[in-house]
Amino acid sequence: MAAKVLFALCLLLVFIAESQATKVNNLFNVMNYGATADGKTENSAAFLKAWRDACNSNGNVTVMIPRGTYFLKQIVFNGPCRGWTNVIIDGDLIAPTDPSFATDKWISFRYVKNLIVSGQGKLDGQGSSAWEDCNKNHNCRPSFPISMTFDYVTNGYIHHLSSINSKGGHFKTYGCENIRFTNVKISAPGDSPNTDGIKISNSNGVAIERVNIGTGDDCIAIISGSKNVLISNVFCGPGHGISVGSLGRDDGEENVENIKVRNCTLSDTTNGLRIKSWARTLSKPLKASNFVYEDIVMNNVYNPIIIDQEYCPGGTCSNKDPSHVEISDVSFKNIRGSSNTQVAVNLKCSAKFPCKNITVNTIDLWQNRGVGKLSNLCSNVNGASYGKQNPSSCL
Ligand SMILES: *[C@@H]1O[C@H](CO)[C@@H](O)[C@H](O)[C@H]1NC(C)=O
Ligand SMILES: *[C@@H]1O[C@H](CO)[C@@H](O)[C@H](O)[C@H]1NC(C)=O
Ligand SMILES: *[C@@H]1O[C@H](CO)[C@@H](O)[C@H](O)[C@H]1NC(C)=O
């Protein structure tokens, strides 16, 4: 009898200790909210309940998704929250395979200030069904979901997370301030359509450092309204390179300013460093200015350096319209490696708004086996070249 009472007391103590511990650490484990890590049961309700309790608590809080495989449909984690919110994703999250799952976002964080997302797990977008659909129907121009989006997040830090086989893009920021990605791993097959790695839009203060990206579209795409972006120690390949644009398709886009890309490697990509704008008229010109590209290695890259202001896929614009995007103050410095096409540096600017102050300093590109002698192409571009130029510069 005494033993039984003692045992019951012990249980009670353990129980109290545990509940104290969760309180003290402000830890909100999705398993305590009914999540099931069997890879089949849908978990968005459990995840949202854990998020809501964490978000409404004072101080720094952690939402924990422990190891295991969690099937998850669309989910939106809305702020504002009170303190810093840590989301630790140690489990693998898997998206529906059904191609009719065609929202524009899979997992989103919105209106959150002070957010950290990390973990050993991966986001598995299960993209192959969507890619097949898209490859069959060339007009698909999807709404295929981006695996993880940050909308109006201020002070966001995303680290040590992996994303594989997204249906649409892997990550996107929109309307964010001060957001940083480090040690993130992104992968999808080189021929998977529309799988941008990280897309930056209307955001100010974005850092992408030590990120490894292999995918089927742009490794990084910097579009309308991006300002103060730093990209360093990024490995890209396969993929379509590190791109600014496309810009200037529609009225209402915002300028892109102050982008630094440093110490990056591109391997087996269709483009290296690209700035791309539509051959279209806008009611008022858009500016793309102050870009610095420095210390970049190209391995087997099709268009190592390319400014393409004549972008007009699928005859959706008249190619005679010169682009209304004004590109200025762009410097390429210390770019070396191998090119897979003859035009190593291709600067095709707008006839109406020529590129201004483009500098190329120390370029050393050589042809891959089987590619003829390399050259440069310049049209409608003002600027200068310095240092070694291999192939010789057209500026
Ligand atoms: C909350 O987390 C942030 C970011 O990690 C940290 O700087 C801050 O010191 C933490 N605050 C408390 C009270 O622990
Ligand atoms: C540049 O990148 C290489 C790896 O590609 C790394 O070892 C080196 O530390 C980086 N340098 C800086 C200044 O970040
Ligand atoms: C030319 O562009 C560079 C950045 O690439 C900038 O530092 C410099 O001030 C610009 N020069 C002029 C004359 O605007």
Side-chain angles (χ1 to χ4, degrees):
M1 189 61 194
K4 266 193 179 159
V5 169
L6 205 60
F7 181 66
L9 254 176
C10 277
L11 274 186
L12 189 67
L13 279 179
V14 166
F15 179 75
I16 289 172
E18 274 194 346
S19 56
Q20 288 292 74
T22 31
K23 269 237 174 82
V24 168
N25 295 329
N26 272 335
L27 184 67
F28 298 83
N29 187 328
V30 295
M31 300 316 274
N32 298 338
Y33 290 86
T36 309
D38 63 1
K40 289 191 283 245
T41 312
E42 211 281 311
N43 282 290
S44 55
F47 283 19
L48 272 184
K49 273 189 223 146
W51 168 265
R52 221 155 264 149
D53 277 1
C55 191
N56 291 329
S57 296
N58 289 317
N60 288 358
V61 296
T62 298
V63 175
M64 168 60 88
I65 302 170
R67 276 166 192 242
T69 305
Y70 301 82
F71 177 57
L72 187 65
K73 292 188 178 167
Q74 187 181 30
I75 188 163
V76 181
F77 296 110
N78 272 309
C81 301
R82 297 195 177 172
W84 279 84
T85 307
N86 287 281
V87 178
I88 299 182
I89 305 176
D90 281 338
D92 295 337
L93 310 186
I94 60 173
T97 48
D98 185 351
S100 71
F101 179 66
T103 57
D104 55 348
K105 299 159 189 190
W106 177 28
I107 301 164
S108 357
F109 294 92
R110 293 198 314 189
Y111 311 111
V112 186
K113 191 171 173 190
N114 303 336
L115 172 71
I116 302 174
V117 184
S118 65
Q120 316 275 308
K122 53 181 183 292
L123 317 177
D124 181 352
Q126 307 239 62
S128 62
S129 55
W131 310 330
E132 273 162 34
D133 201 41
C134 202
N135 284 336
K136 263 185 265 159
N137 164 16
H138 285 280
N139 288 327
C140 72
R141 276 281 125 206
S143 219
F144 286 126
I146 297 172
S147 287
M148 183 173 277
T149 70
F150 300 89
D151 299 325
Y152 306 100
V153 168
T154 299
N155 305 333
Y157 182 26
I158 299 93
H159 66 94
H160 294 96
L161 197 62
S162 301
S163 170
I164 65 167
N165 298 337
S166 56
K167 287 188 171 62
H170 295 264
F171 293 96
K172 180 173 182 182
T173 76
Y174 183 89
C176 293
E177 285 273 336
N178 189 22
I179 192 156
R180 187 158 170 238
F181 294 82
T182 67
N183 299 96
V184 169
K185 277 178 97 164
I186 293 174
S187 86
D191 61 357
S192 55
N194 302 308
T195 52
D196 285 331
I198 303 178
K199 199 163 190 165
I200 304 167
S201 170
N202 295 78
S203 294
N204 182 12
V206 180
I208 300 173
E209 297 171 296
R210 298 184 301 282
V211 169
N212 193 316
I213 308 172
T215 196
D217 204 329
D218 294 332
C219 287
I220 298 175
I222 300 166
I223 60 174
S224 167
S226 303
K227 294 185 171 68
N228 303 311
V229 176
L230 172 65
I231 296 166
S232 75
N233 297 301
V234 165
F235 179 93
C236 163
H240 295 183
I242 297 176
S243 296
V244 173
S246 320
L247 300 176
R249 191 182 74 155
D250 302 306
D251 279 321
E253 289 180 32
E254 290 175 31
N255 295 344
V256 174
E257 289 164 14
N258 199 12
I259 314 289
K260 284 197 174 70
V261 181
R262 261 196 226 134
N263 202 35
C264 295
T265 300
L266 297 110
S267 283
D268 303 302
T269 54
T270 56
N271 304 287
L273 309 171
R274 172 167 65 167
I275 304 171
K276 181 166 85 160
S277 77
W278 286 74
R280 275 202 179 189
T281 300
L282 300 174
S283 61
K284 127 175 182 288
L286 189 72
K287 286 192 165 65
S289 59
N290 261 304
F291 302 168
V292 175
Y293 299 94
E294 220 168 16
D295 302 322
I296 311 290
V297 175
M298 308 277 176
N299 295 315
N300 194 28
V301 169
Y302 279 83
N303 300 294
I305 297 177
I306 178 164
I307 297 180
D308 177 9
Q309 296 209 259
E310 294 169 7
Y311 183 63
C312 183
T316 43
C317 46
S318 141
N319 246 333
K320 290 186 189 95
D321 285 342
S323 175
H324 279 218
V325 177
E326 300 181 330
I327 297 174
S328 66
D329 306 323
V330 178
S331 125
F332 297 96
K333 186 174 176 190
N334 192 22
I335 317 286
R336 62 190 194 281
S338 57
S339 174
N340 225 358
T341 54
Q342 283 189 286
V343 183
V345 180
N346 192 353
L347 309 175
K348 270 189 301 188
C349 295
S350 164
K352 180 141 190 194
F353 298 97
C355 291
K356 281 189 271 190
N357 186 23
I358 310 298
T359 58
V360 287
N361 185 345
T362 315
I363 307 291
D364 191 7
L365 292 165
W366 56 89
Q367 65 262 40
N368 255 353
R369 211 197 302 185
V371 175
K373 191 172 159 11
L374 300 190
S375 62
N376 283 359
L377 251 175
C378 288
S379 59
N380 306 310
V381 46
N382 301 305
S385 66
Y386 305 92
K388 180 170 183 172
Q389 294 291 327
N390 182 28
S392 57
S393 174
C394 53
L395 279 174

